[in-house]
Amino acid sequence: MQIQPKDYYEGDTFERIKQYSDKLETPCLVVDTATFARQLDELIACFPYAKTYYAIKANPAVELLKILDERGCNFDVASRYELDKVLSIGVTGDRVSYGNTIKKSKDIRYFHENGVDLFATDSEADLRNIAQAAPGARVFVRILTEGSQTADWPLSRKFGCQTDMALDLCVLARELGLIPYGISFHVGSQQRDIGAWDSAIAKVKWIFERLQEEHGIQLKMANLGGGFPANYLSRTNDLQTYAEEITRFLREDFDDNFPEIILEPGRSLVANAGVLVSEVVLISRKNRTGLHRWVYTDIGKFGGMIETMDEAIKYPVYVEKTGEVEEVVIAGPTCDSADILYENYKYELPLNLAMGDRMYWFSTGAYTTTYSAIEFNGFPPLKAYFI
Ligand SMILES: *Cc1c(COP(=O)(O)O)cnc(C)c1O
């Protein structure tokens, strides 16, 4: 069963991307900005009550930031370098949140000086730093959530605190002269179980009530994070279904009195807009009776495909040749044995696939350019083109 472009790209999108890439050196990423814009518009239409804060790390290209800016979107920023990038296109600090819970005091100050007034936190030490470096700012507390079993790229454990601690931090924030503004969570990236939002939203509601009843603190915002799906080999529900369910969960807990709702999409907006084009460098067998051919290509873990770690994200791979297929191992071009993309999960590629043929990696617009190494083995970072 070979991958078909029409299952992943609308209309002639793939043909346009392919044609554009024909004259380019591989490896390269080509991103269709119209697809990005359409997916952004779809998200906004699905969640008309929410504010969008784009998670820049998914793909920080200025071409995309401008599309977000045109629609009045906001930006979830994790470092001063991302902030500089957003400011450079004329966005003001009041449309930015500092969403990283791990930050230096001097960076908090830098954000504050540039007009950023919304900070994530999940620890007392960080909260005290914020109070010092960004006096009077609004803070939201990130809580731990379950869902790491059903997210293909979990973001739990490292970030967030238990609900009891979230209460303590909100109370402390007020004591320190900050504004306890809301609660955030991230159910894990590429979260396939929509129910993960249900339990997380219930926790948020519980915290809202406790703070109101026991401390007279009225939180104003719930940040539902990212985690919305892209199309990889493991299929998911569509965004519409995510939106309907999440809206229902919010109604169950908040009736019609929704707090301000923030979303921080990354992957779901940009992954499907991209195609990464690589070339087969070498095809070999390891021994005379080896069952599987090894296909080495000029993109690997260090060229931007880090999310193939533990084969977590399975990108659809398309080649032009057709005919009888065979299970293969796919590996990258560098001198590191960790640079194997897929070995346990066997991709099926045509037997007549040959060195020099191109491979088209679908849904690679997110978390590829940003993960690409600078010069491992001298290979330059992944080049990206926006059409
Ligand atoms: C990475 C990240 C996101 C984006 O998550 P996706 O699953 O790519 O949508 C959102 N919020 C925070 C805080 C993040 O770290």
Side-chain angles (χ1 to χ4, degrees):
M1 170 211 60
Q2 279 173 257
I3 295 296
Q4 293 308 321
K6 66 173 166 39
D7 293 335
Y8 291 90
Y9 297 94
E10 285 208 346
D12 67 346
T13 307
F14 176 70
E15 271 58 48
R16 283 191 292 108
I17 290 177
K18 182 180 170 304
Q19 211 167 50
Y20 183 86
S21 72
D22 281 347
K23 61 178 192 302
L24 300 173
E25 283 281 321
T26 63
C28 62
L29 174 73
V30 181
V31 176
D32 180 52
T33 52
T35 302
F36 176 81
R38 181 169 47 74
Q39 293 184 157
L40 175 58
D41 290 339
E42 189 186 338
L43 181 93
I44 293 169
C46 277
F47 292 95
Y49 51 82
K51 281 191 188 170
T52 301
Y53 281 69
Y54 176 61
I56 295 178
K57 71 177 189 288
N59 190 322
V62 164
E63 289 85 345
L64 305 180
L65 300 186
K66 284 185 173 155
I67 292 171
L68 289 147
D69 180 31
E70 279 164 16
R71 284 160 176 75
C73 292
N74 306 286
F75 300 86
D76 175 45
V77 168
S79 71
R80 61 186 298 157
Y81 311 103
E82 284 185 349
L83 177 62
D84 286 344
K85 195 150 198 177
V86 170
L87 296 175
S88 78
I89 63 161
V91 169
T92 46
D94 57 327
R95 285 166 62 194
V96 169
S97 67
Y98 195 170
N100 195 342
T101 56
I102 306 158
K103 42 198 175 308
K104 297 175 183 170
S105 251
K106 64 178 181 195
D107 289 344
I108 299 171
R109 184 163 292 114
Y110 184 72
F111 274 67
H112 183 62
E113 284 164 5
N114 280 287
V116 178
D117 174 48
L118 188 57
F119 294 81
T121 192
D122 64 1
S123 69
E124 183 179 335
D126 179 58
L127 191 60
R128 290 187 184 278
N129 276 346
I130 297 171
Q132 287 239 318
R138 295 174 297 161
V139 292
F140 58 95
V141 177
R142 178 149 169 192
I143 56 170
L144 286 162
T145 54
E146 290 88 43
S148 57
Q149 304 300 317
T150 46
D152 288 333
W153 196 256
L155 290 168
S156 46
R157 230 160 55 76
K158 179 171 172 183
F159 309 101
C161 61
Q162 297 286 356
T163 44
D164 285 340
M165 183 153 201
L167 293 178
D168 296 346
L169 291 175
C170 287
V171 173
L172 178 61
R174 183 175 59 180
E175 283 171 24
L176 294 171
L178 297 164
I179 299 171
Y181 192 66
I183 302 294
S184 76
F185 59 80
H186 194 303
V187 293
S189 200
Q190 189 68 6
Q191 176 57 260
R192 284 173 286 109
D193 176 15
I194 308 178
W197 276 271
D198 194 10
S199 41
I201 290 169
K203 277 190 186 178
V204 172
K205 169 68 175 172
W206 185 86
I207 294 168
F208 268 60
E209 279 179 356
R210 290 279 85 65
L211 283 172
Q212 173 76 293
E213 286 163 17
E214 291 164 19
H215 303 281
I217 293 175
Q218 177 69 62
L219 293 180
K220 299 218 163 42
M221 179 275 275
N223 178 334
L224 314 188
F228 305 103
N231 289 337
Y232 300 117
L233 281 190
S234 323
R235 299 319 287 261
T236 60
N237 283 292
D238 57 17
L239 185 67
Q240 183 79 33
T241 308
Y242 275 71
E244 282 165 14
E245 288 293 284
I246 290 169
T247 305
R248 187 167 64 81
F249 303 148
L250 284 168
R251 283 240 162 73
E252 278 169 13
D253 284 314
F254 290 98
D255 297 315
D256 282 330
N257 300 318
F258 285 16
E260 175 187 331
I261 301 291
I262 283 180
L263 305 178
E264 296 175 337
R267 184 186 304 279
S268 63
L269 294 181
V270 66
N272 300 336
V275 177
L276 199 158
V277 187
S278 75
E279 179 185 307
V280 177
V281 179
L282 177 73
I283 300 180
S284 68
R285 282 183 205 276
K286 295 291 175 193
N287 58 61
R288 287 177 179 168
T289 53
L291 287 176
H292 303 294
R293 293 194 302 168
W294 283 60
V295 173
Y296 300 91
T297 182
D298 59 4
I299 189 73
K301 277 212 166 67
F302 306 102
M305 306 286 253
I306 297 272
E307 291 197 317
T308 60
M309 205 158 76
D310 299 326
E311 307 190 11
I313 298 291
K314 295 186 185 69
Y315 298 106
V317 178
Y318 170 76
V319 297
E320 282 190 287
K321 285 191 175 148
T322 56
E324 199 184 335
V325 294
E326 182 189 52
E327 291 186 339
V328 298
V329 176
I330 305 179
T334 66
C335 299
D336 188 315
S337 61
D339 194 8
I340 298 172
L341 300 179
Y342 301 105
E343 186 174 18
N344 293 319
Y345 184 86
K346 295 287 185 320
Y347 277 67
E348 296 191 335
L349 293 175
L351 268 172
N352 57 2
L353 186 72
M355 297 190 287
D357 287 351
R358 287 193 163 197
M359 300 169 76
Y360 299 89
W361 301 77
F362 291 175
S363 307
T364 40
Y367 302 118
T368 48
T369 53
T370 44
Y371 274 143
S372 159
I374 297 301
E375 69 167 10
F376 186 48
N377 276 161
F379 290 109
L382 180 61
K383 281 212 179 61
Y385 301 85
F386 295 81
I387 61 172

